[in-house]
Amino acid sequence: DHRNWTDASYKTYCTPLALPYPVEVKEGAEIRQSVTITLKGNAVARRYRRATDVELKANPGRKSKLPALGTCLHAATPDPALWRLLRASHVRVDLRLWEQNWPSALTAAAALGVPLEAAVFVTDRAEEELPRLAAAVRGVRIARWLVFHQKEDSTKPQWLRLARRLLPGGAPLGGGSNVFFTELNRERPPVETLDVACYPINPQVHAFDNLSLVENLEPQAETVRSALRFLPSKAIAVTPVTLRPRFNPQAGGPSGAPAESRIDPRQKSLFGAAWTVGSLKYLSEAGAASVTYYETAGPAGLTEGARAFPLYHVLADATDFAGAEVTAIDSADPLRVCALSMERRGVRRMLVANLTADVQVARLWDGWMGRQLQIRRL
């Protein structure tokens, strides 16, 4: 369950999900739960002392490639200078083909000048909807097609087969979940129906404090490894990664939450930047082919007006090394300090993140020099 929700903390539901939602708990009712843990084998007693500094070591036996990095379309146009410097590989645009405004969203996304990660949502009338989309995307560069159905948590093979027949070829075709990794895991698509498997990630399904968000970084890698086990040789696209859930699929309402419910003030903070380093580290080292972070602009995005949030600089530093080789970095205390190491054309770059509110000292395995991302106190 930790892997399904990227949670690294224990939790349980009070009643089974099969019961109606919400569940009424009457005054005076008692709900009791217990957990039994059994240890097997011979444990060795060791005295543990937390080191003052955190050692970072390269693991040359674990190498991967930096994923293609993009962001989601937002209604506000990003600052042109900041957008050019970001060098995003793609922008995700959600096209709900039963809504009237999807052509304008397509036009706005194409105007940003990068290939589109086209998230296509169809209804049972997909055989009529997809040809209209095919006509509208003539001349538009498509990085990948991601196909979803309006009423399904994980894409059924019939919609993928229909999309492969009706949409323009040349771009990889994918599907999966627009909700959680767990939906892809529960309803695994046949390997032969897709080129790309996708699912989103957010670290606040069950807990919301800083430490929980940090603890929920490492399990992101397990989602990629799990997907690669049941979809071998397929590209894994993690899309999108957001700090808060975009909507509550269990609430019974439409797939869309009020704007304020998906806004996290940490989006603009140094903590948000550090968390992004951790997310990119674990997803890269696990072998994700593509990752889509946040939005182009706005309070849940990378920028607001001409102001770049700290996490913008993290992604800009990574996209500057597009196609880089990633060497896994092992941290002696990954809840305090983590790092992402990239190398391209003989040049190395490492992003080191302090995941706490305290000053941390990190020891690197050889000579590195760097600059510090800081924010001025007002």
Side-chain angles (χ1 to χ4, degrees):
D1 199 46
H2 292 176
R3 171 202 55 191
N4 278 340
W5 308 105
T6 68
D7 281 359
S9 55
Y10 173 79
K11 80 277 176 193
T12 183
Y13 294 101
C14 293
T15 54
L17 283 176
L19 294 181
Y21 180 97
V23 175
E24 181 182 6
V25 179
K26 296 183 178 180
E27 182 179 358
E30 291 187 3
I31 299 174
R32 296 186 179 184
Q33 300 172 333
S34 63
V35 178
T36 302
I37 299 176
T38 303
L39 303 180
K40 297 181 179 180
N42 299 318
V44 178
R46 292 178 180 172
R47 188 178 298 277
Y48 175 76
R49 186 178 67 181
R50 189 174 190 178
T52 304
D53 50 9
V54 179
E55 186 175 23
L56 300 173
K57 285 187 175 181
N59 188 336
R62 290 172 49 212
K63 291 184 180 292
S64 55
K65 186 178 179 181
L66 187 71
L69 297 175
T71 185
C72 295
L73 180 70
H74 185 266
T77 303
D79 178 83
L82 291 174
W83 177 248
R84 284 194 302 271
L85 288 172
L86 182 63
R87 296 175 294 277
S89 74
H90 63 269
V91 63
R92 169 171 166 154
V93 56
D94 286 18
L95 304 171
R96 292 176 170 81
L97 300 185
W98 64 91
E99 296 180 349
Q100 291 185 346
N101 66 342
W102 70 260
S104 60
L106 177 64
T107 301
L112 292 175
V114 298
L116 305 187
E117 180 177 76
V120 180
F121 296 79
V122 301
T123 69
D124 290 342
R125 303 178 65 180
E127 202 150 3
E128 303 171 18
E129 296 163 340
L130 290 173
R132 290 195 290 269
L133 174 62
V137 297
R138 287 174 186 156
V140 177
R141 290 182 295 163
I142 303 296
R144 68 196 61 85
W145 298 105
L146 304 178
V147 179
F148 308 100
H149 188 276
Q150 179 189 30
K151 297 180 179 179
E152 296 173 358
D153 290 332
S154 185
T155 312
K156 295 285 196 302
Q158 68 189 85
W159 311 118
L160 291 165
R161 288 193 288 265
L162 196 61
R164 196 175 291 280
R165 178 165 62 88
L166 297 176
L167 291 178
L173 177 68
S177 174
N178 189 49
V179 185
F180 298 113
F181 170 78
T182 186
E183 312 304 337
L184 176 69
N185 197 18
R186 285 171 177 162
E187 300 181 53
R188 300 177 180 182
V191 174
E192 66 275 7
T193 61
L194 46 70
D195 308 310
V196 180
C198 65
Y199 57 90
I201 280 178
N202 83 84
Q204 298 190 70
V205 178
H206 301 101
F208 319 103
D209 58 286
N210 283 7
L211 179 57
S212 290
L213 267 66
V214 171
E215 290 176 339
N216 293 351
L217 283 168
E218 190 172 0
Q220 292 186 17
E222 294 305 321
T223 65
V224 177
R225 295 187 186 107
S226 294
L228 287 172
R229 278 194 287 270
F230 61 79
L231 291 168
S233 76
K234 301 300 178 181
I236 304 301
V238 183
T239 173
V241 178
T242 56
L243 286 183
R244 280 193 178 175
R246 294 166 296 146
F247 55 89
N248 182 359
Q250 274 80 46
S255 294
E260 63 273 10
S261 68
R262 63 184 182 86
I263 306 303
D264 191 315
R266 290 170 288 194
Q267 188 85 22
K268 304 177 182 181
S269 70
L270 284 174
F271 176 81
W275 189 90
T276 303
V277 172
S279 172
L280 184 53
K281 163 198 169 62
Y282 287 111
L283 293 175
S284 298
E285 293 179 359
S290 172
V291 187
T292 304
Y293 281 99
Y294 314 125
E295 297 176 354
T296 52
L302 306 176
T303 63
E304 203 164 37
R307 174 191 177 193
F309 300 155
L311 49 76
Y312 164 93
H313 297 286
V314 170
L315 293 179
D317 279 348
T319 56
D320 191 37
F321 268 55
E325 181 181 71
V326 172
T327 300
I329 303 295
D330 295 328
S331 171
D333 194 338
L335 297 184
R336 291 162 61 197
V337 177
C338 69
L340 167 69
S341 175
M342 303 170 286
E343 183 170 349
R344 190 183 67 167
R345 300 171 187 167
V347 179
R348 289 186 296 173
R349 173 172 290 175
M350 185 160 66
L351 305 181
V352 182
N354 175 4
L355 298 167
T356 75
D358 302 317
V359 173
Q360 302 292 341
V361 177
R363 287 193 290 121
L364 309 180
W365 70 93
D366 62 4
W368 284 81
M369 295 182 65
R371 60 186 177 88
Q372 187 174 7
L373 184 61
Q374 296 178 326
I375 190 167
R376 197 171 49 178
R377 293 185 181 275
L378 299 179

